[in-house]
Amino acid sequence: MPGARGSIDRRRLGIELRQLREAKGLTLEDLKAHTGWSTSKGSRQERGLVPINPADLRTLMQFYEVKEQAIIDALFALASGSRGRDWWHRYDDVVSRQFSTYLGFEAVASVVQTYEGMVVPGLLQTPEYARALVDAVGDAQNEEEAGRRVEARTYRQQILQGDDAPRLHAILDEGIMHREVGGRDVMRGQLMHLLDAVRRTNVVVQVIPYQAGAHRAMEGGFIILRFAEDENSDVVSVDLRTRSLYIDDRAEVEEYREAWESVLATAASPLQSQQLIERAAEEMKR
């Protein structure tokens, strides 16, 4: 994705550093004892949440006894790239630090699995639908701020384009199809946009029909981000009213994986889901 180089290099560098540490049989506590850093600092570095300065990287190379110059040079190149500013920093006035963290993960994910019970996921929203949501939430202080919020959300969708685009798999509750966000015309445009989106080879949208009844994820939406470089480092994002939670504890992540499999089993097939969306779009004409 354009402008996401910093996040990509941070993620790759973090994976390399964790592998170097584990190859030595060391823990984050060992790292803390040697450097005096907190374990959270080491964890943030290895998860690609923060850039790593040259002095810290030299400390790590010495502690992990990395001697091969080619490896050292490659890691310093990644560290240099990791300090680049990602595209969303242009919108620091309207994008929270917590959401910036999410965007950093999303920029380097190979698979995005999202379940939503109330709204169309941001990666699939039209500008008109997004603006209706911004207006409904009422956080924007003025017209310019509202416009920038929508602009940032729309720009984010470029992640779905290009050769290295992630695979997006979205499961939506059927109620989303019938909630007239922004009015019938806006909602019909949104539904038609979903139908266009599923024509992409990297996008799957499924709908949980009303008749499916209760299911395991009814308490709220969530996103599972998966990474090609490391199959054991999935991250779960859960949005709350005042903040976002990022979960990477393996036991907790497994709970969300099981919830995902449950809603996937409950959802209509992609073809049946397309038919449900088409019917909802037709109803919006009336």
Side-chain angles (χ1 to χ4, degrees):
M1 180 181 180
R5 187 75 255 164
S7 288
I8 293 170
D9 286 345
R10 279 196 296 276
R11 179 74 185 174
R12 289 176 177 168
L13 179 58
I15 291 170
E16 294 290 340
L17 291 176
R18 194 189 77 237
Q19 290 175 346
L20 286 171
R21 175 176 58 77
E22 291 178 344
K24 288 291 183 180
L26 298 168
T27 67
L28 288 173
E29 287 294 335
D30 294 326
L31 181 61
K32 175 183 177 181
H34 178 78
T35 63
W37 303 343
S38 66
T39 54
S40 64
K41 176 176 178 176
S43 175
R44 289 196 302 271
Q45 290 176 340
E46 291 184 0
R47 288 186 292 155
L49 296 181
V50 293
I52 301 177
N53 63 51
D56 284 354
L57 186 55
R58 278 193 291 272
T59 296
L60 292 169
M61 295 301 92
Q62 291 168 2
F63 186 42
Y64 300 151
E65 300 179 330
V66 180
K67 306 293 187 183
E68 190 173 338
Q69 193 60 45
I71 295 176
I72 295 172
D73 291 344
L75 293 176
F76 271 93
L78 287 175
S80 177
S82 77
R83 292 188 288 276
R85 286 175 63 82
D86 297 303
W87 69 263
W88 48 87
H89 289 297
R90 296 179 229 160
Y91 299 95
D92 278 345
D93 56 327
V94 294
V95 174
S96 69
R97 289 184 64 185
Q98 286 189 326
F99 193 57
S100 290
T101 298
Y102 170 79
L103 291 173
F105 283 129
E106 186 181 77
V108 295
S110 59
V111 179
V112 179
Q113 297 171 326
T114 177
Y115 162 72
E116 282 287 353
M118 296 298 292
V119 299
V120 173
L123 285 172
L124 295 172
Q125 292 174 9
T126 65
E128 295 80 12
Y129 183 94
R131 179 54 190 264
L133 290 177
V134 168
D135 290 345
V137 172
D139 286 343
Q141 300 299 309
N142 50 51
E143 180 72 17
E144 180 182 0
E145 182 177 328
R148 282 182 59 73
R149 287 178 184 272
V150 174
E151 183 180 318
R153 193 170 302 190
T154 304
Y155 190 90
R156 170 190 168 202
Q157 295 173 3
Q158 291 188 39
I159 194 174
L160 295 176
Q161 303 172 14
D163 294 337
D164 58 349
R167 181 173 182 267
L168 172 64
H169 192 163
I171 299 179
L172 316 180
D173 188 87
E174 186 177 359
I176 294 172
M177 311 294 109
H178 302 282
R179 184 170 292 108
E180 295 180 19
V181 174
R184 284 182 169 250
D185 289 343
V186 169
M187 196 61 215
R188 185 170 187 277
Q190 176 62 73
L191 293 170
M192 297 305 293
H193 181 69
L194 286 178
L195 293 173
D196 287 339
V198 298
R199 295 189 179 98
R200 297 182 180 182
T201 58
N202 63 319
V203 177
V204 176
V205 176
Q206 291 180 252
V207 176
I208 299 179
Y210 286 137
Q211 60 266 33
H215 57 80
R216 186 167 178 174
M218 291 189 73
E219 71 275 9
F222 60 89
I223 302 171
I224 301 175
L225 298 170
R226 316 199 74 167
F227 306 97
E229 303 94 338
D230 192 346
E231 62 183 14
N232 293 317
S233 64
D234 291 4
V235 173
V236 174
S237 173
V238 180
D239 283 335
L240 305 176
R241 170 63 182 170
T242 56
R243 62 194 177 100
S244 298
L245 295 178
Y246 302 102
I247 301 166
D248 61 0
D249 176 81
R250 291 192 181 182
E252 289 187 84
V253 168
E254 187 59 32
E255 288 284 332
Y256 281 95
R257 285 177 179 158
E258 291 175 4
W260 172 262
E261 292 300 325
S262 176
V263 294
L264 183 59
T266 305
S269 71
L271 178 58
Q272 291 170 331
S273 297
Q274 182 175 331
Q275 293 168 347
L276 287 170
I277 297 170
E278 288 171 344
R279 284 202 292 271
E282 190 64 25
E283 289 175 6
M284 290 296 165
K285 288 182 178 180
R286 300 171 190 168

